[in-house]
Amino acid sequence: MATSSSETAQRAVQARSRILQHIYQTPLIPARKTGQDCNAKLFFKAENFQHTGSFKLRGAMSKVSAQNTQGRLITASSGNHGIGAAFAAHALSKDVTVVLPTIVVPAKLEKIKSFGVNVILHGAEAGMAEQHAQQLAASGNYVYMSPYNDPEIIAGQGTIGLEIIEQCDQVDNIFISMGGGGLIGGIGSVMKTFSPRTKIYGVAAINSKALAASMSAGHVVEVEHNPTLAEAVAGGIDEDTITLPLAKSVVDQVLECDEAEIIKALQALAFDENMIVEGSAALALAGFMKVAQQLSGQANVVVLCGGNVGNEVLKGFMSNC
């Protein structure tokens, strides 16, 4: 199942033609204030405006619409992939079951249920939900759909890169949050294939950094998972995930951000850019803010991966203002 960056980029081109009528080509929005103090040109790829509030719709729609996808599907999610899978199942009349951790944001849970799919709550974090979904699939009653460890899922996320290249004449740097690796693997593959001069920054949450730690070690490693505002990128990764070698081949630099830096980025987006996003989206901006002084005169893109933020999270970071 291993795939190269060039193969992934070509799959993204194919996926785009299949999913185009079902997704929103999100805008590339110039920053109002962020980056100005260091003369860095900044744009936000606003996947928070996607139909489901997250980039995950692209991968799910790519997988569910692929010709080789057959049978009753089961998947796992911290919320956003589940919403995307439910949306895709509803749009394409497919049978999908979504396994979610018990900590899923209530607003995300309600969105998933609204599409009429089967929902199972299991485990304290996304990794445990994935293991349960895989076990149910191993029984033979379902076909497992990974939220990240699948060439078609990764290709769907890569369509974001195709849009960015069309929307911006020059991209010097792109900042992408890292969870399971499907987003950075997809976008990174597209950029390295069609815009090789673009530097790819992967941004990890210190409190749950399975992919970053595995990239450093050269193989999948277990890490401690602590609560993080970037809950959509929390959790472990599959032992055989194709996203690890793919990320290692396309990511130029990994940045790690703590909760205080994520809060600062959430506040910058809310008060300087008039955008409310979830912590995993702010994580990418936190990475940019960490190195912004080094990027004077350069064109930068921060991928805002989602905007499905719960009221409790909003109250939490607003109270720190």
Side-chain angles (χ1 to χ4, degrees):
M1 191 170 67
T3 183
S4 68
S5 58
S6 60
E7 290 171 337
T8 299
Q10 292 305 317
R11 273 201 181 96
V13 173
Q14 296 164 4
R16 191 181 189 191
S17 66
R18 295 199 311 272
I19 71 176
L20 195 59
Q21 64 178 317
H22 299 290
I23 66 161
Y24 172 47
Q25 179 169 305
T26 53
L28 191 68
I29 301 173
R32 298 183 179 193
K33 182 178 178 181
T34 312
Q36 288 183 359
D37 59 343
C38 55
N39 192 36
K41 199 172 186 180
L42 177 62
F43 299 90
F44 297 108
K45 181 57 172 168
E47 284 296 294
N48 50 311
F49 294 148
Q50 190 53 257
H51 292 317
T52 57
S54 163
F55 78 96
K56 290 284 192 176
L57 174 61
R58 296 173 183 265
M61 191 63 73
S62 172
K63 177 63 177 178
V64 175
S65 65
Q67 288 186 348
N68 61 352
T69 302
Q70 303 292 334
R72 297 173 62 202
L73 297 172
I74 189 166
T75 192
S77 172
S78 61
N80 284 333
H81 169 70
I83 297 170
F87 184 105
H90 180 76
L92 301 175
S93 300
K94 297 282 187 172
D95 186 341
V96 173
T97 295
V98 182
V99 183
L100 301 161
T102 56
I103 60 165
V104 62
V105 174
K108 293 181 180 180
L109 176 59
E110 290 309 309
K111 276 194 177 183
I112 292 169
K113 287 182 175 179
S114 72
F115 291 107
V117 298
N118 303 312
V119 172
I120 298 172
L121 296 178
H122 182 91
E125 49 92 10
M128 296 174 69
E130 284 181 38
Q131 291 173 8
H132 187 62
Q134 290 166 351
Q135 290 168 1
L136 291 174
S139 70
N141 294 323
Y142 300 94
V143 175
Y144 181 63
M145 176 170 65
S146 171
Y148 58 89
N149 188 17
D150 186 290
E152 296 299 348
I153 293 283
I154 299 168
Q157 322 307 22
T159 62
I160 296 170
L162 296 173
E163 291 177 13
I164 290 171
I165 290 170
E166 293 174 354
Q167 292 169 320
C168 190
D169 292 336
Q170 175 182 321
V171 180
D172 294 306
N173 310 290
I174 186 165
F175 294 80
I176 306 166
S177 298
M178 297 200 308
L183 180 63
I184 199 161
I187 297 176
S189 294
V190 167
M191 301 308 290
K192 289 304 181 185
T193 300
F194 300 118
S195 180
R197 66 182 301 278
T198 300
K199 184 173 181 178
I200 310 296
Y201 285 89
V203 191
I206 286 176
N207 279 10
S208 189
K209 56 175 187 176
L211 183 58
S214 299
M215 290 171 66
S216 179
H219 57 88
V220 174
V221 297
E222 292 291 331
V223 300
E224 185 177 357
H225 299 289
N226 295 307
T228 175
L229 284 166
E231 47 84 23
V233 300
I237 55 177
D238 292 344
E239 184 68 34
D240 65 346
T241 183
I242 60 174
T243 58
L244 176 55
L246 196 57
K248 283 179 64 66
S249 72
V250 300
V251 175
D252 295 295
Q253 185 172 343
V254 173
L255 303 169
E256 297 182 3
C257 297
D258 60 25
E259 295 304 291
E261 290 169 319
I262 297 172
I263 289 172
K264 185 177 179 182
L266 279 166
Q267 293 169 344
L269 283 159
F271 301 122
D272 296 337
E273 307 299 337
N274 287 359
M275 281 195 283
I276 301 297
V277 301
E278 57 191 77
S280 55
L283 175 63
L285 178 60
F288 166 80
M289 293 167 68
K290 207 174 183 82
V291 297
Q293 295 298 328
Q294 305 168 25
L295 307 177
S296 177
Q298 298 181 37
N300 307 278
V301 172
V302 165
V303 178
L304 298 180
C305 54
N308 294 323
V309 58
N311 290 337
E312 292 306 312
V313 174
L314 273 178
K315 291 175 184 175
F317 91 78
M318 290 293 285
S319 67
N320 285 283
C321 298

